[in-house]
Amino acid sequence: MTLDRRDFLKKMGAGAACAFAAAALPRAATAERPPNVLFIAVDDLRPELGAYGKDHMVTPHMDRLASEGRMFERHYVLAPSCGPSRYALLTGMHPTPEHPVTYGNGAFQLYEESVGPLSMQQHFRDNGYHTTLIGKVSHTPDGYRGGQDVRENREQNPPEAPGWQVMDTPSGQWNDAWSAFFAYAFGETRTPGESPPLEKAEVGDRGYPDAYLADAAIEHLVRRSAGDDPFFLAVGFYKPHLPFNAPKKYWDLYDRDSIDISDVDPYVRTGGEFFGNYAHEAADTEDDDYVRELRHGYYAATSYVDAQIGRVLEAVDNLGLNENTIVVLWGDHGYHLGELGYWGKHTLHEHSLRVPLIVRTPDMAHPGESAEALTSTVDIYPTLAELCGLEVPDHVEGESFAPILDDPQATTIDRAYGGWNRGAQHTVRTDRYRLIEHNDDVRLYDHETDPGERECVAGDKPGVVERLVNKLRQMPGQP
Ligand SMILES: [Ca+2]
């Protein structure tokens, strides 16, 4: 895709060309037109990218975005699962015991029951933005209601969360969004309990669905760049979510034998996902070759989705949208690839809650300098609202981190919260510690000495425990 913005401007007339010929627009909204937002969600993406100091990874496009924007070293999601994490993103709210559903994948039911708050996309739409969803932005892979048992005519269902003017998720050779979400090559999809958790097929990029999502995103960028209204375009890629499938050329970027598995611990337990949905047994995790193969698959799927993100960012460049488009890249939660003996995401450890967040604004101050400050996913809604000149709705519980975009040394919050298991488990992360509370069991980890959260030090630090338990009680939405 090498469409030039100037070609569009010719069609639009000289007046528009003059407006866009101005020097870089200020970051905040201008009188003429507020900035566009391109929001890229990546499913189950660990902060295991070259930009995050993981030199074994081949992720040049996300790395480049980080070099041009602000990379957040310590961004935390609210829950270790797709639905609740994305619900917090789109509402700006913490999970709450008042609505236990907000801790689980059914979080978006709240909209169905008409008690959902004003969504981020609805707020942008109400303020003159054209809003588009492509792929997995809320919980389902196309944003329509309906679980895996609903595969046909999904577009007849209402959206999971209101506010999208356009919902356009191509499913290519897989015919429906759920089949595409669990895609194997050649139009195949997952058979629960039987399919392998990884695949290396000799196919091109369009051998898997994320290339189609990138195609759709590029098409909408072209269309929206010629439109009169600012746009809010959200694109949700499927990989590296299980199954760890990718074209062979992305597997070939890594040498299996050199994949480090020294931080893989003996099996303790696994998420139901590996067990229930794929031909995976606990005993397999004692096999170093298999463990290396799983990590290899995750890395290949990450490089594959990186390439698709690169195509979308290239279109942003080629269309001349950089000067008035905010780009956000966000992972919906992390993942244990054997750390602490766990395979999956459903824990409140650092591995599950820390994710990549990269924000690039048109007039980025100190581009390429990363920020160490804590930020939380509930902070994204108020940040984007502020950057685009919108009021922050009263229900939003996050705090704008726009000051960190101006100054990478700035701080905005001193804690990041999380919850899981219908409210039975909570966590708070501070600059130095993580505390996890599960009923009467309280665990404390000291990141100054133990970044892998391997040793509970609650017994040694009762004062810290007391302080952080009190902090946890201040989590918004708690009784
Ligand atoms: Ca996810």
Side-chain angles (χ1 to χ4, degrees), residues 198-340:
L198 37 76
E199 182 180 74
K200 176 173 69 175
E202 297 236 28
V203 293
D205 282 12
R206 286 179 187 79
Y208 294 104
D210 280 324
Y212 292 89
L213 299 180
D215 290 344
I218 293 165
E219 185 185 324
H220 280 273
L221 284 170
V222 170
R223 202 178 297 165
R224 296 271 68 80
S225 68
D228 292 331
D229 297 326
F231 64 79
F232 183 101
L233 170 60
V235 187
F237 288 104
Y238 298 159
K239 291 296 115 183
H241 189 290
L242 277 169
F244 301 155
N245 297 350
K248 178 176 180 294
K249 75 172 181 176
Y250 296 98
W251 288 76
D252 290 346
L253 295 172
Y254 300 91
D255 170 26
R256 174 88 52 93
D257 293 338
S258 68
I259 291 176
D260 182 14
I261 59 167
S262 62
D263 56 348
V264 173
D265 296 304
Y267 169 80
V268 175
R269 60 200 168 103
T270 190
E273 201 175 3
F274 260 115
F275 269 150
N277 292 326
Y278 301 92
H280 169 97
E281 301 292 341
D284 296 341
T285 61
E286 296 172 7
D287 176 352
D288 284 356
D289 291 339
Y290 178 69
V291 167
R292 278 204 178 81
E293 187 180 10
L294 282 177
R295 284 198 168 184
H296 193 175
Y298 184 90
Y299 296 168
T302 300
S303 289
Y304 168 65
V305 78
D306 179 75
Q308 308 320 311
I309 291 166
R311 293 176 53 221
V312 174
L313 295 178
E314 184 184 17
V316 172
D317 283 344
N318 290 343
L319 291 163
L321 290 168
N322 277 332
E323 64 193 29
N324 65 343
T325 302
I326 298 163
V327 178
V328 181
L329 183 133
W330 172 79
D332 71 340
H333 50 76
Y335 213 85
H336 292 250
L337 289 174
E339 296 95 343
L340 304 177

Side-chain angles (χ1 to χ4, degrees), residues 59-71:
T59 50
H61 304 287
M62 289 188 274
D63 297 350
R64 181 187 156 203
L65 184 66
S67 75
E68 296 170 347
R70 181 80 67 251
M71 187 180 85

